[in-house]
Amino acid sequence: MAQYPQSPLMGRMMSQPLLISSLIQHADRYYSDVEIVSRRVEGDVHRYTYRDCHRRSRQLANALTRLGVGMGDRIATLAWNGYRHLEAYYGVSGMGAVLHTINPRLHPEQIGYIANHAEDQYLLFDLSFTPIIEAAAPLCKTIKGFIALCDRASLPASDKIPNLMCYEDLIAAESDDYEWPLFDENSASSLCYTSGTTGNPKGALYSHRSTLLHSYASSMPDALNVSARDVVLPVVPMFHVNAWGLPYSVMLNGAKMVFPGPALDGKSLHELFEQEQVTFSAGVPTVWLGLLTYMAQNQLKFSSFKRTVIGGSACPPAMMKTLRGEYGVEVVHAWGMTEMSPLGTAGTLLSHHQKLSEADQQSKLEKQGRVIYGVDMKIVDDDGKELPWDGTTYGNLLVRGPWVVSGYFKSEGGDVLQDGWFPTGDVAVIDPEGYLQITDRSKDVIKSGGEWIGSIDLENIAVAHPAFIQAACIGVYPPKWDERPLLVVVKKPGMELTREELLAFYEGKIAKWWTPDDVVFTDALPLGATGKILKNKIREIYRDYKLPTA
Ligand code: ADP
């Protein structure tokens, strides 16, 4: 960690460490009756208050202390968005241990790998993941016990899970008399592994300080803009970059929190949005697809939903237009990554944009937005030379800031920084007003005749056509060019469209040489553990694809 010189004259302000426990203490003291509503694995809807959550988090801290958990020990979770998972967020980090959220969509072998790498001591899991735990348990070398997030009546009868414990029993046996300890704010608080599309997953190890600064900054009006008047439903999972920090920032602001649990289908989500009068939500584009399709089929509307943050992969402009135009939901397009806790930029307008036409405003909002204070960014060429912010020059995107990783857990991958900047692996342009536009991940870039073709642009155009729901554009190698774009698309049920009609749809929207050389119609695209389209899989499938010769 960098050390800085001290001034001979230091300020005379209180030095209170920025600790995660202070968030729940604040929420209990100032928003004690605000509700946390959870759809449970058990099927029912559970409700309680911030005060209840604080009490049970303290009981959990006592229970973990009794199990011998100490500062810096890693405690894993394999759980949906719900109140017990939230108690683990606060109970584990609050006592100085480290919450390791594992993505349950990973293969049991990958779960074993990261649990061993993290040296997890205990693992808390939701009942729906019992089969995964049974498969992964023999591979986990350091876990001393598995805690099922349920009461005694629902405890699975499994002889394949060693030292299986019942969460409700465990905390019921403890008093809520617990003082959150004070310690250095740079202590590790939580751990999240990147999905590792190439190589082994690597751990981003967040600190209390980075988490609190991210919570403050991400709440600002031009970022998430969450207030005590909001009802927040994080669709983004708590096992994926801490649900973009919402379990912390929502508590900081005293908003009502609604957790969807495992029910992420359009019908269940719409019911919960309406029943709890949700005003704000966040998720990757694929989750909105299911909800919007269900709503269109059943001619439904939202009665309270006002604003959503979409990120994790590019939000197709067509989706943004539908949400805004047909449902009155403002979309904030955000960009970030696991290594950035995750928020880096958010797309909102500047004052003078208010005079622009709706179409011009929309084209600003389609970009990934401007940095949130705290993060700094730049684009560089392959030699590390900084490139201009002219809205057309492409470069490798680098970032720095107090909630950006300085290296991976256990120094995996070595020294990753370039002159103090973190290379994001994304390729982007930045316009003169500082709006970032991600054109590709560097490993997905299509290079044709030495020039880049923006695959995200090509995908966005395809899904703007009413016949398509999903598209992925990859580079394939014909004999003549070094690489040419191939478009792989999924049609909406009942829609018909030919290759020629789709290619004609590109006319006038892009430079002619960007037009995909061919189109493949498929039933589904492979999705990764975080719901993103897996381009490396698609590249594998179509590696030997023969493009038509011009
Ligand atoms: P992984 O997908 O490897 O698990 P993350 O979930 O942290 O990692 O994803 C980070 C990456 O997702 C970014 O580097 C970027 O490529 C992509 N991404 C995130 N938000 C956006 C966005 N709004 N538009 C385009 N790409 C995005």
Side-chain angles (χ1 to χ4, degrees):
M1 210 174 298
Q3 296 292 326
Y4 299 98
Q6 277 204 347
S7 160
L9 186 61
M10 299 299 282
R12 290 291 306 269
M13 306 306 282
M14 288 186 194
S15 172
Q16 272 181 328
L18 300 174
L19 298 179
I20 286 173
S21 54
S22 69
L23 292 173
I24 196 159
Q25 282 175 300
H26 170 79
D28 180 344
R29 196 163 157 86
Y30 298 100
Y31 304 105
S32 57
D33 294 334
V34 172
E35 270 187 314
I36 298 168
V37 179
S38 312
R39 197 194 289 275
R40 304 202 295 178
V41 174
E42 292 91 326
D44 58 345
V45 171
H46 171 275
R47 32 183 96 235
Y48 72 174
T49 64
Y50 278 174
R51 176 150 297 167
D52 299 325
C53 178
H54 188 202
R55 179 174 43 75
R56 285 169 51 97
S57 303
R58 297 196 306 272
Q59 287 173 282
L60 174 61
N62 272 329
L64 292 173
T65 307
R66 193 179 298 279
L67 289 172
V69 174
M71 280 196 70
D73 285 345
R74 272 78 71 198
I75 303 298
T77 60
L78 211 71
W80 298 109
N81 291 6
Y83 68 105
R84 293 183 181 122
H85 203 177
L86 188 66
E87 291 159 11
Y89 264 58
Y90 284 95
V92 172
S93 302
M95 68 182 288
V98 178
L99 183 85
H100 173 202
T101 48
I102 301 183
N103 188 329
R105 298 199 186 105
L106 295 174
H107 192 270
E109 270 167 29
Q110 291 169 304
I111 294 178
Y113 172 86
I114 57 176
N116 290 335
H117 190 272
E119 299 173 62
D120 293 328
Q121 302 288 300
Y122 287 90
L123 187 150
L124 286 69
F125 69 98
D126 265 335
L127 293 180
S128 26
F129 305 126
T130 307
I132 303 175
I133 297 293
E134 289 179 331
L139 308 171
C140 299
K141 307 284 178 232
T142 57
I143 296 184
K144 297 178 194 149
F146 294 83
I147 303 168
L149 293 165
C150 63
D151 57 21
R152 170 105 346 227
S154 324
L155 192 66
S158 173
D159 53 7
K160 296 198 192 115
I161 306 177
N163 198 11
L164 176 62
M165 288 173 270
C166 166
Y167 181 82
E168 289 299 335
D169 280 1
L170 208 62
I171 66 167
E174 300 297 333
S175 122
D176 60 8
D177 188 8
Y178 182 88
E179 281 283 324
W180 298 112
L182 293 180
F183 45 81
D184 188 324
E185 64 187 18
N186 289 301
S187 307
S189 60
S190 49
L191 177 61
C192 192
Y193 281 75
T194 60
S195 50
T197 34
T198 53
N200 278 326
K202 294 194 274 296
L205 185 61
Y206 311 114
S207 68
H208 285 258
R209 174 186 155 83
S210 72
T211 306
L212 260 81
L213 292 176
H214 180 266
S215 307
Y216 269 120
S218 62
S219 314
M220 288 195 295
D222 281 307
L224 304 182
N225 192 12
V226 173
S227 82
R229 271 90 50 214
D230 275 307
V231 179
V232 180
L233 187 151
V235 182
V236 52
M238 288 164 78
F239 55 74
H240 185 211
V241 213
N242 299 328
W244 300 350
L246 287 166
Y248 308 114
S249 52
V250 172
M251 208 128 330
L252 182 153
N253 290 290
K256 171 176 163 182
M257 192 124 64
V258 182
F259 289 123
L264 298 175
D265 59 285
K267 181 171 187 292
S268 310
L269 278 179
H270 184 260
E271 270 171 20
L272 202 58
F273 269 76
E274 286 306 298
Q275 192 181 302
E276 300 303 328
Q277 291 288 288
V278 171
T279 61
F280 175 85
S281 186
V284 296
T286 36
V287 304
W288 301 115
L289 265 184
L291 180 58
L292 292 177
T293 308
Y294 170 78
M295 289 178 66
Q297 280 164 353
N298 295 281
Q299 290 162 11
L300 297 169
K301 294 277 176 204
F302 293 114
S303 63
S304 56
F305 190 23
K306 288 198 204 71
R307 203 173 65 259
T308 185
V309 170
I310 300 186
S313 50
C315 176
M319 178 178 281
M320 228 180 236
K321 282 187 196 147
T322 306
L323 275 162
R324 193 201 223 181
E326 288 178 32
Y327 298 102
V329 179
E330 180 198 340
V331 175
V332 179
H333 192 190
W335 167 85
M337 60 198 312
T338 305
E339 290 87 337
M340 300 177 70
S341 307
L343 274 182
T345 64
T348 53
L349 297 177
L350 294 173
S351 176
H352 68 96
H353 296 150
Q354 294 174 94
K355 296 194 211 94
L356 296 178
S357 68
E358 200 169 305
D360 288 342
Q361 289 186 351
Q362 170 74 23
S363 62
K364 276 279 172 202
L365 294 170
E366 284 167 6
K367 300 183 182 189
Q368 279 79 358
R370 291 156 46 88
V371 287
I372 296 167
Y373 167 75
V375 173
D376 194 7
M377 66 179 177
K378 65 176 179 180
I379 43 173
V380 300
D381 65 15
D382 287 342
D383 300 322
K385 193 166 117 311
E386 189 160 357
L387 295 169
W389 294 13
D390 56 12
T392 54
T393 308
Y394 296 65
N396 301 312
L397 179 63
L398 271 55
V399 290
R400 64 179 177 194
W403 55 87
V404 178
V405 294
S406 60
Y408 291 100
F409 183 41
K410 296 188 173 171
S411 302
E412 211 58 57
D415 186 6
V416 288
L417 301 189
Q418 290 177 11
D419 291 332
W421 292 76
F422 178 78
T424 63
D426 286 334
V427 175
V429 298
I430 303 176
D431 77 12
E433 292 185 316
Y435 282 79
L436 171 77
Q437 191 171 7
I438 304 285
T439 54
D440 253 309
R441 282 190 126 174
S442 55
K443 51 183 181 281
D444 295 334
V445 153
I446 305 172
K447 255 193 169 176
S448 195
E451 298 270 4
W452 274 334
I453 294 182
S455 68
I456 294 180
D457 278 342
L458 297 181
E459 290 155 7
N460 282 344
I461 293 172
V463 295
H465 193 286
F468 299 103
I469 46 175
Q470 276 182 319
C473 196
I474 54 163
V476 288
Y477 289 87
K480 193 168 133 206
W481 299 86
D482 42 357
E483 208 173 11
R484 289 296 301 158
L486 169 70
L487 188 68
V488 186
V489 285
V490 180
K491 276 190 229 170
K492 276 193 193 144
M495 297 296 262
E496 281 310 323
L497 200 85
T498 63
R499 165 190 186 277
E500 285 66 32
E501 284 166 325
L502 172 54
L503 292 181
F505 188 61
Y506 279 92
E507 271 169 35
K509 299 190 173 81
I510 44 160
K512 205 161 172 42
W513 66 276
W514 274 35
T515 311
D517 279 28
D518 208 358
V519 180
V520 175
F521 297 93
T522 180
D523 293 338
L525 295 175
L527 297 183
T530 53
K532 300 190 200 187
I533 295 170
L534 284 181
K535 286 218 192 162
N536 57 337
K537 272 265 163 61
I538 301 175
R539 270 196 295 271
E540 237 168 66
I541 299 169
Y542 297 102
R543 196 177 35 212
D544 300 321
Y545 189 85
K546 295 271 171 295
L547 288 173
T549 40

